[in-house]
Amino acid sequence: MFKPFKNAKLILSLAIPNIFSFATATVTGAINLIMVGGLGGAVIAVVGVTNIIMYNAWAMFSGLGHSINYLVAQSYGAGNNRQAVERTHITLYVVMILFLGIVIAGLIGSWPLLWLVTGDADLAGLGAGYAKLRFAALAIGLFSFVIHGFLRGIGDTRTPAILTVLGSALMVFFTYSLTYGHFGFPALGLTGAGIAFLIGEGAGALGSLLVFFVFLHRKMQTRKPAPFNRKEARLILEESGKLGLQEFALSLSMLIFTVFVGRLGTVALAANEVALNIMSLGFMPAFAFGATATILVGQEIGRGEPFKGRRLGTETAVYGSIFLLAIGIIEFIFALPIAKIYTNEPEIYTLVAKLITVSAFLQLFDGLMNFYAGGLRGIGDTGFLMKASIACGFGLFVPLAALFIFVFDMGSMGAWMSLYLYLTIFAGVVMYRYYKTDWLGVRLKSAEGSTSHTAAV
């Protein structure tokens, strides 16, 4: 008999720090957007679009953190701590190689990308310097993302939360100080906000590396050199590639969605970005519960208890859904006051309030998708996640957005209807896969290719 509260203490002990960590990052982004909002609607639009571009850039490499998360969880559950550490070392080698490429890409591609998304050369010129700094911050942040994946894999969700809070606090302080020239700092405007991101990500990366190589060394010998095992490297790159493509398909479809909305004008674009920022208060906790599902399922697979992992994944989804439902109710009731926090321009906050009211419970479906995708990551079913993300993103979401916006001429409301339908169907597909999987056939993900997971469909 299913008992939804049987493992409440275990799940919440992992999920609450995850919620705090992801929510802190989200709130920090919201605070930063509010702070720069005083510079005008054009700046709000530029920052919002840059956030979308950064999400796409991050998505391309996010598989590194996601893959090390579930691979470490499986290794740790199996009692093979050395394998968990060596897999993390190999991933960090890859990040070091990628670092310079990301920085150069930002220097060269910031203006063209902003122009492509907004279709406005003036907006692109306004935000190019800011975007370059954000690319550099992204490159630095990958080190944190990998270490956080390792820590969560071994069941430590508190340390990533603490590191996230410290980095975010610095980011907020310097956004306020450098944007408007407070506390004796120069008033650098949008450039100052970009520098603040760089400082926050740098502090977070240094803290993460310190925890891994210094504080954890006695327990797990993290400074012991790891040989470059080609088979392990190939496994990590393959898994990272599939999970990165999954995330990139999601983010790229959102970027195309933003391009479509951008053609509706600056007011529509600014309102869309503010609404997405507000809705992310639910999106990020969904990621947090999804990460919790990955940890719990992955560790149980390592211990040879697949059905316990399946049950823990379901219980995590129950708790996550309750949490997101509560957020949706608050957003529905207080849509207009929340919108006014971001901007004092009536055209923008009125449209934002309408979008939030209609889509207040949108994140519940996004949550279900994330919860069960997290469970599937835990068993290493990464190929399916990649294919489902591509099919739903480009076979469903993008065509629906184009149809509702341009053919039916439904404007911003049509755009968000397409987003609603997309997340609902995507969630249903992932849930179906989770419960139709042959859990008796699930095995550890190994560089020798011994993993097995099948779905009875």
Side-chain angles (χ1 to χ4, degrees), residues 40-368:
V43 170
I44 292 176
V46 164
V47 171
V49 169
T50 302
N51 287 340
I52 293 290
I53 293 173
M54 288 303 104
Y55 179 39
N56 277 269
W58 171 81
M60 294 176 66
F61 308 107
S62 64
L64 293 167
H66 290 317
S67 62
I68 206 63
N69 182 203
Y70 97 78
L71 289 171
V72 165
Q74 289 190 355
S75 297
Y76 185 76
N80 194 342
N81 290 354
R82 188 58 202 163
Q83 184 184 61
V85 170
E86 289 183 352
R87 284 174 165 176
T88 306
H89 275 233
I90 292 170
T91 308
L92 289 173
Y93 299 154
V94 175
V95 170
M96 286 189 283
I97 295 170
L98 291 172
F99 177 84
L100 185 60
I102 295 172
V103 173
I104 293 173
L107 292 173
I108 296 172
S110 291
W111 189 92
L113 283 171
L114 284 171
W115 176 78
L116 178 65
V117 176
T118 64
D120 189 319
D122 291 334
L123 285 179
L126 176 64
Y130 174 75
K132 290 174 184 178
L133 292 166
R134 292 290 303 275
F135 268 105
L138 169 68
I140 294 171
L142 286 180
F143 289 96
S144 300
F145 192 49
V146 170
I147 299 299
H148 289 188
F150 169 85
L151 292 171
R152 292 187 177 107
I154 64 173
D156 179 5
T157 57
R158 292 183 181 180
T159 301
I162 293 170
L163 291 170
T164 300
V165 169
L166 291 175
S168 296
L170 285 172
M171 201 178 297
V172 169
F173 173 79
F174 283 106
T175 298
Y176 181 70
S177 302
L178 294 174
T179 301
Y180 299 104
H182 296 294
F183 306 117
F185 290 94
L188 302 177
L190 191 54
T191 299
I195 293 173
F197 263 94
L198 200 60
I199 292 171
E201 291 290 2
L206 286 174
S208 298
L209 293 171
L210 181 67
V211 168
F212 182 76
F213 286 108
V214 178
F215 298 154
L216 285 176
H217 177 65
R218 178 176 292 183
K219 177 183 177 182
M220 303 189 73
Q221 297 298 298
T222 53
R223 289 201 301 273
K224 182 179 180 181
F228 190 79
N229 185 310
R230 291 186 177 182
K231 290 183 178 180
E232 285 289 347
R234 181 177 179 180
L235 171 65
I236 291 167
L237 289 173
E238 287 179 351
E239 294 303 292
S240 297
K242 286 185 284 188
L243 289 172
L245 278 174
Q246 175 210 340
E247 199 70 47
F248 183 62
L250 174 62
S251 64
L252 183 58
S253 61
M254 281 300 298
L255 177 61
I256 296 171
F257 168 81
T258 303
V259 172
F260 290 168
V261 175
R263 299 304 183 264
L264 298 175
T266 301
V267 170
L269 181 58
N272 186 74
E273 298 314 313
V274 170
L276 284 173
N277 193 272
I278 294 169
M279 298 300 288
S280 68
L281 294 172
F283 294 159
M284 288 304 173
F287 295 159
F289 276 98
T292 301
T294 299
I295 296 166
L296 293 170
V297 172
Q299 288 186 356
E300 294 306 322
I301 296 302
R303 296 185 182 109
E305 297 285 349
F307 283 107
K308 183 177 180 181
R310 182 180 186 267
R311 185 174 65 250
L312 286 171
T314 298
E315 291 182 38
T316 301
V318 171
Y319 282 105
S321 297
I322 293 171
F323 186 86
L324 293 180
L325 184 61
I327 291 178
I329 292 171
I330 293 171
E331 289 176 346
F332 182 83
I333 295 173
F334 300 104
L336 186 58
I338 292 173
K340 287 183 177 181
I341 294 173
Y342 285 79
T343 178
N344 57 7
E345 298 184 29
E347 280 187 298
I348 297 178
Y349 68 64
T350 301
L351 181 54
V352 169
K354 289 180 179 178
L355 295 177
I356 296 173
T357 300
V358 170
S359 304
F361 302 103
L362 174 69
Q363 62 262 52
L364 180 60
F365 297 97
D366 178 72
L368 291 171

